[in-house]
Amino acid sequence: MGKISFFLKEAFGSLRRNYFMTIAALVTVFLSIVVLGGVLVFVYTTNALLKEVEQKVEITVFLKTDPDPTTDQVDAMQTKIMGWPEVKSSVFVSKEEALNRLKEDFKDNPEILQDLTGNPLPASFEISLKDPQTVSSVAERFKGDPVVDEVSYGKEIADKLFSFTSQARNFLLGFIVLLGIVAILLISNTIRLSIFARKREVEIMKLVGATNWFIRWPFVIEGVFVGFVGAAAATVVILILNSFLVGKIRNGLPFMAVPLDAVPYVLVVLMLLGVGVVIGAAGSGIGLRRFLKV
Amino acid sequence: MIRFEDVTKIYPPSTVGLEKVSLHIEKGEFVFLVGPSGSGKSTFIRLLIKELEPDRGRISVGGRDLATLRNWKVPYLRRNIGCVFQDFKLLTNKTAFQNVMYALVVTGQATGASKKKAAEILSLVGLGHKSNSYPNELSGGEQQRVSIARAFVNHPPLLIADEPTGNLDPETSMGIMQLLYRINKTGTTVLMATHDREMVDRMRRRVVALDVGKVVRDQKRGGYGED
Ligand SMILES: Nc1ncnc2c1ncn2[C@@H]1O[C@H](COP(=O)(O)OP(=O)(O)OP(=O)(O)O)[C@@H](O)[C@H]1O
Ligand SMILES: [Mg+2]
């Protein structure tokens, strides 16, 4: 009891006395956590966006036009498609509907469609999948079907997108790990610097019979305090910046539906605070080690 | 209490600190360590509290061999050796009172009784009125007395003082000597490194003289110089 209050007094006393070093350490923690948090939020958001884009991968199955398939054939096909477990939904687009859509697309310059006679457009099925990665294997099943003319699912685009997203994920993950290491080095170095300034003080404490832990505790408390405060400030900045940027994206790119729940905020906040505290405590503990050898 | 067997300490690259020093000091003795500047007095003391390791030889304090003493036990050794350092070694951001208290707090005593003890010992060295001053607000002699107070506040069985009267006027020196004398009378072993010829001559105690790291004289009731 008496000891704990002594340690707390020591810790906050020296935080105040060495205010310059305190500020330096705070700024280091703050900047590191801002960058770390920024990347984290970015990863979560892009991840959600990529998921969104992936969901948009669809298979379009064009049916033969000469002759057009009968209603029975269409119904049978729809039933067959819906029977596949990978399929989320399948919409039949008739020839007429296809033409309407075309007219709708070109309503601003109808002269393009002037020469169109009759309805040359094929009917089609638009299939969306539960797991976009299954797109190739599902598309494959239409090969050789007598009423199917052509299957299109943007093969290259889909494949490119998938390889890009998995690469992007790996890259960002690696980036976060790297950043974490850099932050730890930076912070423990700053703390070591502040401890170095108090080398003599630590030496004297040891010579009058203080144990290592007796000396260490106030330093660890200081580290935890600096880590927590720096991380808390960084977290606030991250959250404000995030909501500001999400707003900007919503206004600027309305077709990109930025999901509101993309970032698990509670988890991210706890993670950042935890990282701050652990880095602060470990930084002081490690930084102190070589001065305790008296 | 203290045994040095053939102890040699060389500071890199080749400065002699101590050379083949063998010395026994019994419990309850009062010993002066004399010798010119640079003769190895402080080196002797720093070896004693395991601030330094000898290059050769054995040192034991209170029956414990320092070479085999575990690192985590060193603080407990130091709590049993009150040490007045030549350069005082006061914590600059603590008041005189807090400096003395620190020696008690490290041993887990932060009670009202220990505060009283710290205040008393400060009065005893004549600094009752300066207990709230910081080291940089104290004169050299005053800092020295804080250092003495801190060394003795735990009533350690062994008290070492490196030039405890070096910065004091004759009158205050005499006061300090009398304090050490009284401390010694209570059974505490006292080892004092000094240049104070008059003091040594007057006390007529055991004198160990060092020169360039070697023991050149060890007299039961000696004076500062050769008789
Ligand atoms: N840390 C050190 N590194 C190198 N040499 C040292 C170191 N400390 C002391 N010495 C040398 O060791 C020798 C003995 O020094 P020591 O401090 O023991 O002398 P001393 O008897 O206490 O002198 P004084 O009366 O001036 O305090 C001296 O030659 C000194 O220069
Ligand atoms: Mg000396």
Side-chain angles (χ1 to χ4, degrees):
Chain A
M1 176 51 225
K3 249 187 188 175
I4 293 172
S5 73
F6 178 80
F7 289 149
L8 285 173
K9 248 186 259 165
E10 290 281 293
F12 287 101
S14 86
L15 280 172
R16 197 153 15 91
R17 260 194 319 278
N18 307 301
Y19 65 94
F20 186 77
M21 276 303 177
T22 304
I23 291 170
L26 268 174
V27 169
T28 314
V29 173
F30 174 78
L31 290 179
S32 311
I33 302 275
V34 162
V35 176
L36 190 69
V39 169
L40 217 57
V41 166
F42 180 73
V43 166
Y44 276 116
T45 307
T46 47
N47 223 339
L49 281 176
L50 289 175
K51 275 236 170 66
E52 196 89 343
V53 174
E54 278 180 1
Q55 294 306 331
K56 294 213 166 106
V57 173
E58 275 187 344
I59 303 174
T60 310
V61 181
F62 295 104
L63 304 182
K64 292 209 166 107
T65 48
D66 201 16
D68 286 320
T70 64
T71 323
D72 282 350
Q73 280 174 317
V74 167
D75 286 348
M77 191 153 187
Q78 172 75 313
T79 318
K80 186 173 81 177
I81 294 170
M82 288 308 287
W84 293 336
E86 298 94 337
V87 171
K88 192 158 80 187
S89 68
S90 167
V91 176
F92 176 67
V93 181
S94 65
K95 288 171 71 81
E96 295 71 34
E97 209 175 328
L99 187 64
N100 287 340
R101 278 194 197 171
L102 193 69
K103 284 179 177 159
E104 181 70 17
D105 285 347
F106 288 96
K107 71 173 188 282
D108 291 333
N109 22 2
E111 66 278 358
I112 293 178
L113 300 178
Q114 260 168 14
D115 300 333
L116 206 63
T117 53
N119 185 352
L121 298 175
S124 63
F125 282 102
E126 288 176 1
I127 302 164
S128 71
L129 301 168
K130 287 180 186 137
D131 177 4
Q133 307 266 15
T134 57
V135 65
S136 310
S137 73
V138 173
E140 205 65 14
R141 289 179 209 158
F142 291 102
K143 256 202 187 132
D145 193 302
V147 292
V148 172
D149 182 35
E150 203 189 331
V151 180
S152 125
Y153 64 95
K155 188 173 171 20
E156 271 104 71
I157 294 177
D159 289 348
K160 263 191 195 141
L161 184 66
F162 292 138
S163 86
F164 171 73
T165 56
S166 75
Q167 267 177 27
R169 262 174 223 157
N170 290 342
F171 173 75
L172 286 176
L173 225 72
F175 191 61
I176 282 194
V177 170
L178 211 73
L179 204 71
I181 294 171
V182 169
I184 287 175
L185 286 181
L186 215 64
I187 291 165
S188 68
N189 214 44
T190 308
I191 290 173
R192 189 172 309 158
L193 225 73
S194 106
I195 291 169
F196 188 76
R198 286 146 71 186
K199 182 178 185 307
R200 199 181 139 75
E201 193 182 322
V202 170
E203 226 172 75
I204 294 174
M205 290 171 171
K206 284 228 71 176
L207 288 180
V208 299
T211 57
N212 285 351
W213 271 108
F214 191 87
I215 296 170
R216 207 176 272 139
W217 269 119
F219 280 93
V220 170
I221 293 171
E222 281 178 48
V224 166
F225 177 80
V226 166
F228 184 82
V229 171
T235 306
V236 169
V237 167
I238 287 289
L239 292 183
I240 291 174
L241 222 62
N242 179 56
S243 71
F244 174 74
L245 284 180
V246 168
K248 271 256 146 120
I249 293 175
R250 283 238 172 81
N251 289 338
L253 308 163
F255 53 87
M256 294 281 266
V258 184
L260 255 184
D261 55 353
V263 182
Y265 289 106
V266 176
L267 185 70
V268 167
V269 166
L270 288 180
M271 227 148 60
L272 293 183
L273 290 181
V275 167
V277 165
V278 167
I279 285 176
S284 337
I286 295 166
L288 194 56
R289 219 174 30 183
R290 39 194 278 245
F291 301 122
L292 287 174
K293 289 184 187 141
V294 178
Chain B
M1 192 76 190
I2 301 172
R3 298 178 88 81
F4 272 53
E5 307 279 3
D6 235 5
V7 172
T8 296
K9 171 72 198 175
I10 309 284
Y11 290 103
S14 60
T15 311
V16 175
L18 283 185
E19 197 179 338
K20 294 193 171 167
V21 169
S22 292
L23 190 66
H24 298 182
I25 295 173
E26 299 307 322
K27 195 164 179 299
E29 270 194 279
F30 193 118
V31 180
F32 286 114
L33 198 57
V34 303
S37 179
S39 56
K41 303 183 293 295
S42 297
T43 303
F44 186 91
I45 288 170
R46 294 171 71 197
L47 286 165
L48 206 54
I49 58 172
K50 211 170 189 242
E51 188 185 346
L52 296 176
E53 306 275 351
D55 294 303
R56 275 188 295 282
R58 303 185 81 77
I59 303 171
S60 74
V61 178
R64 251 168 290 171
D65 185 346
L66 295 196
T68 58
L69 189 69
R70 294 294 195 79
N71 266 340
W72 66 268
K73 278 188 173 169
V74 171
Y76 303 93
L77 166 81
R78 288 174 183 163
R79 288 176 200 176
N80 282 313
I81 306 176
C83 193
V84 183
F85 300 94
Q86 191 166 15
D87 56 353
F88 321 137
K89 294 208 193 297
L90 297 178
L91 295 164
T92 51
N93 44 53
K94 292 195 187 315
T95 63
F97 177 75
Q98 287 168 338
N99 263 285
V100 176
M101 272 306 286
Y102 196 84
L104 291 168
V105 179
V106 294
T107 66
Q109 310 170 55
T111 57
S114 58
K115 280 184 185 159
K116 214 170 130 220
K117 212 153 112 187
E120 272 169 17
I121 192 118
L122 273 172
S123 304
L124 195 66
V125 296
L127 282 177
H129 61 297
K130 297 251 166 139
S131 32
N132 291 321
S133 303
Y134 288 90
N136 63 356
E137 300 164 350
L138 296 171
S139 73
E142 286 167 339
Q143 291 179 46
Q144 196 148 37
R145 282 182 278 161
V146 176
S147 183
I148 293 168
R150 180 182 61 189
F152 194 59
V153 71
N154 271 323
H155 295 285
L158 172 59
L159 188 68
I160 324 175
D162 199 349
E163 305 257 8
T165 58
N167 293 281
L168 303 178
D169 58 277
E171 210 162 301
T172 320
S173 296
M174 217 42 236
I176 294 298
M177 276 315 300
Q178 264 157 18
L179 182 65
L180 290 179
Y181 183 74
R182 286 218 303 276
I183 288 170
N184 175 240
K185 278 278 173 246
T186 64
T188 303
T189 312
V190 177
L191 172 69
M192 174 173 163
T194 187
H195 287 299
D196 195 335
R197 170 182 291 271
E198 204 185 326
M199 191 77 64
V200 177
D201 287 341
R202 197 181 313 181
M203 296 282 288
R204 287 286 147 186
R205 290 304 173 120
R206 182 174 172 191
V207 174
V208 174
L210 290 174
D211 197 9
V212 206
K214 285 203 177 95
V215 176
V216 292
R217 183 160 60 96
D218 185 353
Q219 265 181 314
K220 255 282 168 275
R221 290 187 167 276
Y224 188 84
E226 307 259 3
D227 288 310

